[in-house]
Amino acid sequence: MLRRLSLLSSRSPPSLLSPLSSFSTSFSTSSLDIDLKKKRNIGISAHVDSGKTTLTERILYYTGKIDGIHDVKGKDGVGAKMDSMDLEREKGITIQSAATFCKWGSNHVNIIDTPGHVDFTIEVERALRVLDGAVLVLCGVSGVQSQSLTVDRQMKRYNVPRVAFINKLDRSGANPFKVIEDVQDKLKLNAAAVQLPVGLEGDHKGIIDIVTQKMLLNEGDMGEVVTEADIPDDMKDLAAEKMAELIERLADVDDEIGELFLMEETPTVEQLKAGIRRATVACNFVPVFMGSAFKNKGVQPLLNGVVDYLPSPDEKDNYALDLDDDEKEVKIKCNSDEPLVALAFKLEEGKFGQLTYMRVYQGSLKRGMNIINVNSGKKIKVPRIVRMHSDDMEDIESAGAGEVVAMFGIECSSMDSFTDGANLAMTSMFVPEPVMSISVTPDKKSNSANFGKALAKFGKEDPTLRISTDPISKQTILAGMGELHLEVYIERMKREYDVHCETGRPSVNYKESIAMKKEFTYLHKKQTGGSGQYAKVIGYVEPLEDAEETFEFDNQCVGTNVPPEYYPSCEKGAQDAAKKGGLIGMEVSGVRVVLQDGAAHAVDSSDMAFRYAMAQAVREAMGAANPSILEPIMKLDVVAPMEFQGSIVSGLTRRMGLIQNSTNQDDNVVIEADVPLAQMFGYSTDIRSITQGKGEFTMEYKMHQAVPRDQQSTLIKNFKEQEEQNAA
């Protein structure tokens, strides 16, 4: 007996188990009247090409935000709503995170669709920093991939509760239970299915809801009609088995379900849902949903899962730093009546000026009110507040606690905090270091002004894009997260500012370190008439256990041989030496400098003398401490038809790659390798040539490690030759 649960005219039931009710998609000019318990702020994150944007497109359609479903790659001339850049539609990937909002039943859902490519990982980082929950999308065939691991680390960093959605179950080789095993083993998450697929690959018809023990099928041209039926007899045993597994995993992390489990009682639907919600909000459990976004299956039940299991803004603890009380942590109250605390987490420079994306944590933001930028101390009047729907906007008068909105006409930096008087600041986000750089020059001198404007805009938008000028060659250097990252900005410069750039070969972000402990005693003494310069420093340099750690300075001086007022100068001198190593002039990492003693002169000692002495002492000591050059090593995943396995492996071996693992997935082989970044230039062209365009790869930074000695000699030789050329 089938029962219809949604109709084409209303496309968004408040619940699959509640009576139908239609709603208007128009929103109030204020968000203050939205019940806090009915708000959800979620991000959709995954490995590249797992179907995030396709899923978001279906969500927007079923919630009535858009009138039709369009192709992600833009082949239909329209393209997915959330990929508004022409470049995104041409490449078929998400480059910038995009925000939207929709209504599911009586619930207000703010959504941020994030990129999957590792080069744009900062977009995921900033979104997860401000969101309350997330949907982790996994490919039903490939399972947990390299960027899935990165996204999971980011979610754990900010304690973001998440639900998982296993997508692409219509694809050949789909195996959702293998994916769940990967989630448990590779991501170390306590995950269990709350749904089962009804058929896989070409036979995928819908899902079985384990919690309610009902079968849900999508019907209609766009899957807009969901029908409910009893579980088929041939799937009842599997459904019972997975129900038992779900209860058992919940019992490990939830006391109420645990008590029922020990008493061998079966929880009711309400008890089970409540237990899943408690465990999910506490980040102790991940409910796993299933479907195929491209085939319009399983999306509405996922939306119900977002409402049922992910937290409202007041259920996630957030803390600010009290700048008047030594940055003591203060718990934020998610209440619109409290004093304002908001965070600017993303900037976009558009034709109408800077668009600043804001998360309101406490209090309310109203048009015309005066707010204070805590970081700069500037007082600002809020000119305009908008809700974003990709690149479309809707003006609103105010935004309450728990809202994600945008403001026009506010000059600020990413991660600036705003209040209406309190001296509270939100913590910033983790920003990874760039791993690749290129030199860029405008092809015409007449384009210099636009070139400067473009770099200023891009540098403000993206913290992982570092812009600098080489002090010797005077070239402009762009440093970023990878080839694609830098290519996109060069292309954007051309399209948005009509600036064509000439680029130099990408350079690698090498570092320098040492391999042994070395003591130093250095005396700086200079007399030129009048007061001279005198400073003596004694100590040692040693390698840190983890070469990835930054440069450290440890002052162990006892007594006043080195007067305490010169300690900061000694530390600055050590930092000066660390900025430019003695081998190839790169930043020094994984080194501790310890100052133990020294001497000063009553007249001739000065801050400058001690700073200089310390810098020279550290440079000399590091030069004698078996110094080495460290290069970035990338974790590379290559997916291609099995027939090309030999060619791929031999190609990686030529590039100094170390094969870590090789697995078969149907007719494809997945090769995992660690490869030096310096050897990866041009690999995108190489892999297309080797695999006749059928292979693809993803790459993310793993670590820095020492280069081979012969390569180190070559790098030092090239550096010296370059310095001689520049000097000439």
Side-chain angles (χ1 to χ4, degrees):
M1 182 70 182
L2 296 178
R3 184 161 66 91
R4 283 176 180 263
L5 295 169
S6 65
L7 303 174
L8 182 59
S9 60
S10 66
R11 291 209 304 267
S12 55
S15 167
L16 288 178
L17 297 173
S18 62
L20 294 175
S21 63
S22 61
F23 64 88
S24 168
T25 57
S26 63
F27 286 80
S28 165
T29 57
S30 169
S31 70
L32 299 180
D33 55 352
I34 301 173
D35 183 358
L36 204 57
K37 295 294 183 185
K38 299 289 186 181
K39 290 181 184 179
R40 298 291 183 274
N41 296 317
I42 65 167
I44 298 181
S45 305
H47 182 88
V48 65
D49 200 32
S50 293
K52 298 175 303 302
T53 304
T54 304
L55 174 62
T56 309
E57 186 82 353
R58 269 62 180 176
I59 288 174
L60 295 179
Y61 177 73
Y62 295 134
T63 56
K65 283 295 292 183
I66 56 177
D67 295 326
I69 295 173
H70 298 287
D71 181 70
V72 170
K73 293 184 182 291
K75 294 176 184 176
D76 58 2
V78 180
K81 179 64 184 176
M82 301 304 281
D83 284 349
S84 56
M85 290 174 62
D86 290 338
L87 204 54
E88 291 178 313
R89 290 170 180 175
E90 286 174 20
K91 291 182 176 289
I93 61 171
T94 302
I95 293 171
Q96 288 187 329
S97 58
T100 187
F101 63 96
C102 58
K103 199 169 184 182
W104 185 242
S106 59
N107 298 279
H108 179 97
V109 184
N110 290 312
I111 302 172
I112 297 183
D113 177 32
T114 62
H117 203 288
V118 67
D119 284 27
F120 311 109
T121 188
I122 192 65
E123 293 292 314
V124 187
E125 195 80 37
R126 71 165 101 237
L128 293 176
R129 166 65 186 83
V130 299
L131 294 172
D132 305 314
V135 177
L136 175 62
V137 183
L138 300 162
C139 176
V141 179
S142 303
V144 173
Q145 297 165 275
S146 59
Q147 191 63 5
S148 309
L149 295 165
T150 303
V151 169
D152 177 66
R153 282 198 301 271
Q154 291 169 319
M155 290 180 182
K156 288 173 179 171
R157 183 179 294 133
Y158 302 113
N159 295 316
V160 178
R162 85 291 303 259
V163 300
F165 180 69
I166 301 177
N167 194 21
K168 300 190 176 184
L169 294 187
D170 60 305
R171 289 261 305 268
S172 176
N175 185 348
F177 304 114
K178 172 66 168 62
V179 178
I180 293 175
E181 287 179 14
D182 283 352
V183 171
Q184 294 166 350
D185 297 339
K186 294 183 180 180
L187 302 183
K188 308 300 181 188
L189 294 174
N190 180 27
V194 293
Q195 294 177 347
L196 295 174
V198 179
L200 290 171
E201 302 178 353
D203 297 325
H204 182 51
K205 298 181 180 66
I207 56 102
I208 288 172
D209 190 322
I210 294 174
V211 176
T212 61
Q213 291 289 294
K214 293 292 183 182
M215 179 169 68
L216 304 173
L217 303 176
N218 287 82
E219 297 177 353
D221 294 338
M222 295 294 181
E224 67 279 353
V225 178
V226 180
T227 55
E228 182 184 279
D230 293 331
I231 299 176
D233 291 339
D234 61 345
M235 295 193 70
K236 284 183 178 178
D237 289 345
L238 180 60
E241 177 190 331
K242 294 301 177 183
M243 168 71 97
E245 184 180 322
L246 170 63
I247 293 171
E248 188 174 341
R249 285 197 167 267
L250 271 178
D252 291 338
V253 293
D254 185 79
D255 292 340
E256 290 187 32
I257 300 296
E259 286 180 19
L260 293 171
F261 180 73
L262 291 173
M263 292 187 291
E264 298 184 357
E265 293 182 13
T266 303
T268 64
V269 172
E270 289 72 21
Q271 287 174 325
L272 196 51
K273 280 190 172 184
I276 294 172
R277 180 179 181 80
R278 285 191 299 270
T280 303
V281 170
C283 294
N284 292 328
F285 181 71
V286 179
V288 181
F289 294 78
M290 303 182 185
S292 169
F294 184 69
K295 294 294 185 180
N296 310 316
K297 300 187 187 305
V299 178
Q300 295 98 323
L302 173 64
L303 275 167
N304 287 328
V306 166
V307 171
D308 289 341
Y309 304 135
L310 290 182
S312 56
D314 61 337
E315 289 179 293
K316 188 168 186 287
D317 291 342
N318 290 294
Y319 295 88
L321 303 177
D322 188 346
L323 302 183
D324 292 332
D325 191 9
D326 197 25
E327 297 190 356
K328 181 181 177 181
E329 281 194 347
V330 178
K331 189 173 180 179
I332 294 292
K333 297 176 183 176
C334 192
N335 187 328
S336 298
D337 297 326
E338 296 288 331
L340 172 70
V341 178
L343 179 69
F345 67 92
K346 176 178 167 66
L347 309 178
E348 275 183 18
E349 197 73 31
K351 55 186 176 182
F352 301 114
Q354 180 172 300
L355 183 67
T356 305
Y357 286 78
M358 302 281 287
R359 165 67 195 265
V360 182
Y361 284 96
Q362 178 180 284
S364 57
L365 192 66
K366 298 176 182 177
R367 189 161 68 89
M369 76 181 289
N370 291 316
I371 59 175
I372 296 170
N373 184 329
V374 177
N375 299 69
S376 67
K378 290 182 179 178
K379 195 172 185 179
I380 303 160
K381 187 173 183 178
V382 179
R384 186 181 174 193
I385 308 173
V386 295
R387 277 205 192 97
M388 298 302 299
H389 178 41
S390 187
D391 56 345
D392 296 332
M393 303 168 201
E394 175 189 318
D395 279 283
I396 58 174
E397 291 294 319
S398 60
E403 275 297 303
V404 176
V405 293
M407 293 192 303
F408 264 116
I410 298 290
E411 279 299 317
C412 67
S413 301
S414 181
M415 293 293 141
D416 278 359
S417 298
F418 291 87
T419 69
D420 54 5
N423 203 14
L424 299 175
M426 301 300 295
T427 55
S428 188
M429 63 179 172
F430 171 76
V431 179
E433 290 296 316
V435 296
M436 182 182 292
S437 61
I438 57 173
S439 62
V440 289
T441 312
D443 61 343
K444 299 176 185 175
K445 283 191 176 181
S446 58
N447 282 334
S448 295
N450 280 346
F451 178 69
K453 285 180 186 176
L455 292 182
K457 170 191 170 183
F458 297 152
K460 206 170 184 183
E461 285 181 4
D462 187 350
T464 58
L465 184 72
R466 308 290 173 83
I467 302 157
S468 60
T469 302
D470 188 286
I472 299 172
S473 66
K474 305 303 180 186
Q475 286 182 312
T476 300
I477 306 297
L478 284 191
M481 302 305 295
E483 262 184 303
L484 180 61
H485 188 211
L486 297 174
E487 278 175 18
V488 163
Y489 279 110
I490 297 300
E491 184 64 24
R492 284 185 63 189
M493 216 176 293
K494 175 181 168 184
R495 295 186 185 210
E496 297 173 23
Y497 289 87
D498 197 27
V499 176
H500 295 252
C501 289
E502 296 173 358
T503 60
R505 175 178 168 81
S507 62
V508 174
N509 182 25
Y510 291 103
K511 293 183 180 180
E512 296 185 30
S513 192
I514 59 175
M516 58 184 283
K517 179 178 177 180
K518 191 69 180 178
E519 297 178 347
F520 61 78
T521 300
Y522 189 89
L523 173 64
H524 173 55
K525 186 175 181 181
K526 193 174 182 181
Q527 193 69 44
T528 55
S531 60
Q533 295 180 31
Y534 185 94
K536 184 178 182 180
V537 289
I538 301 170
Y540 61 89
V541 297
E542 65 177 358
L544 293 166
E545 289 184 12
D546 184 0
E548 291 293 294
E549 290 185 35
T550 54
F551 190 88
E552 287 186 11
F553 177 79
D554 185 7
N555 180 12
Q556 295 182 2
C557 286
V558 177
T560 58
N561 286 344
V562 177
E565 60 265 28
Y566 296 134
Y567 291 164
S569 300
C570 291
E571 183 172 356
K572 288 177 183 175
Q575 290 170 348
D576 291 342
K579 288 176 183 175
K580 190 174 181 181
L583 298 179
I584 57 172
M586 302 304 287
E587 181 186 1
V588 176
S589 178
V591 175
R592 177 187 285 115
V593 175
V594 178
L595 176 64
Q596 295 175 304
D597 203 356
H601 188 277
V603 176
D604 292 346
S605 289
S606 65
D607 286 320
M608 188 58 69
F610 271 96
R611 182 168 181 171
Y612 178 82
M614 197 69 194
Q616 291 300 108
V618 171
R619 287 191 184 106
E620 289 184 7
M622 289 194 300
N626 194 11
S628 61
I629 300 171
L630 309 179
E631 65 178 340
I633 303 297
M634 310 302 287
K635 182 180 183 299
L636 179 74
D637 286 358
V638 183
V639 181
M642 290 185 65
E643 60 195 277
F644 303 112
Q645 181 173 0
S647 301
I648 293 169
V649 170
S650 60
L652 291 175
T653 303
R654 285 195 301 273
R655 291 175 181 268
M656 310 295 290
L658 183 62
I659 308 298
Q660 299 290 348
N661 193 18
S662 178
T663 56
N664 296 334
Q665 287 183 356
D666 298 318
D667 296 330
N668 288 335
V669 62
V670 180
I671 298 170
E672 299 174 13
D674 292 344
V675 191
L677 177 62
Q679 304 292 331
M680 287 304 296
F681 298 125
Y683 189 66
S684 55
T685 304
D686 199 4
I687 193 69
R688 290 190 194 108
S689 174
I690 290 173
T691 64
Q692 300 171 11
K694 299 174 184 176
E696 59 183 34
F697 75 97
T698 56
M699 182 173 70
E700 67 174 322
Y701 171 76
K702 184 176 182 180
M703 61 182 178
H704 269 76
Q705 73 177 28
V707 302
R709 283 291 166 183
D710 58 338
Q711 186 183 341
Q712 178 163 311
S713 301
T714 303
L715 288 169
I716 294 171
K717 180 183 175 184
N718 293 342
F719 174 71
K720 288 181 177 177
E721 288 176 355
Q722 186 64 46
E723 286 210 312
E724 289 172 3
Q725 287 178 10
N726 293 332

